[in-house]
Amino acid sequence: MTKAEKNALIENLSAEFQASKAIAVCDYKGLKVKELEALRVEIRAQNAKVQVIKNTLASIALKNSNIEGLELKENNIFIWSDDQISLSKVICRFSNSVGGKLVVKSGYFEGVLVDAKHIEAVSKLPSREELIGMLLSVWTAPARYFATGLDNLRKQKESEYK
């Protein structure tokens, strides 16, 4: 990789990291190529990005994005997105499916450095779509109960006239 390519990669990563709200650094030691490709497919399906980056280039890009404190030792795969819940869910689900070979080292969620336990806890939260569904269910409950009550009253009146 030439110096110009490295500088272009650093600029691109700096912009990507700065724009994202969630970044996770994972150890992928022991993953097979097919498993890494499956991870990439799952991550991209969630509109997130994943890339294996050299630690020196990643540290420069993170520093340019004012992100400090992420653990950058040994082999790292970087996963970033705008939605921390979906990102956490995909990472934890994939890690469980490959027998824990994908290990979360640390993360950076909306300006705060987080550890693996935090990412696992966030993965257990309901997604945005699930929360919207819950909210709609609560909002429609009074109308649903009213309609059920009217239907029961109609049935009662019909049975009285028979």
Side-chain angles (χ1 to χ4, degrees):
M1 196 178 235
T2 65
K3 187 163 181 106
E5 290 173 329
K6 288 179 183 178
N7 287 336
L9 177 65
I10 289 170
E11 286 179 30
N12 183 35
L13 288 174
S14 296
E16 293 277 341
F17 289 158
Q18 204 163 21
S20 67
K21 295 180 181 173
I23 301 171
V25 180
C26 303
D27 185 359
Y28 65 99
K29 214 179 313 177
L31 283 178
K32 296 177 182 167
V33 174
K34 283 185 178 181
E35 294 169 334
L36 273 173
E37 286 303 315
L39 173 65
R40 285 187 169 101
V41 168
E42 276 191 56
I43 293 293
R44 289 183 183 136
Q46 296 295 323
N47 293 325
K49 296 187 180 181
V50 58
Q51 189 170 351
V52 175
I53 309 165
K54 287 184 73 170
N55 290 338
T56 52
L57 298 176
S59 64
I60 294 169
L62 289 168
K63 193 173 187 178
N64 290 347
S65 303
N66 297 321
I67 300 171
E68 294 182 17
L70 289 175
E71 182 181 332
L72 301 178
K73 295 178 183 170
E74 299 180 9
N75 299 330
N76 293 314
I77 189 165
F78 292 80
I79 305 168
W80 64 95
S81 173
D82 287 336
D83 184 11
Q84 58 183 310
I85 295 174
S86 66
L87 180 77
S88 299
K89 283 182 181 289
V90 169
I91 291 171
C92 291
R93 183 175 51 238
F94 184 81
S95 179
N96 291 336
S97 72
V98 294
K101 292 179 194 172
L102 182 73
V103 179
V104 178
K105 291 182 175 182
S106 60
Y108 196 77
F109 286 0
E110 296 188 3
V112 178
L113 190 66
V114 296
D115 60 354
K117 289 179 183 177
H118 180 86
I119 293 174
E120 186 178 336
V122 169
S123 74
K124 294 176 182 171
L125 294 173
S127 69
R128 182 177 187 270
E129 290 77 20
E130 292 169 335
L131 287 172
I132 290 171
M134 289 177 191
L135 184 62
L136 287 175
S137 176
V138 169
W139 280 350
T140 60
R144 203 172 42 244
Y145 292 141
F146 181 71
T148 304
L150 284 177
D151 189 46
N152 289 339
L153 182 63
R154 180 190 56 84
K155 288 177 184 175
Q156 180 185 8
K157 295 293 182 180
E158 286 176 354
S159 67
E160 287 177 1
Y161 291 117
K162 287 185 180 182

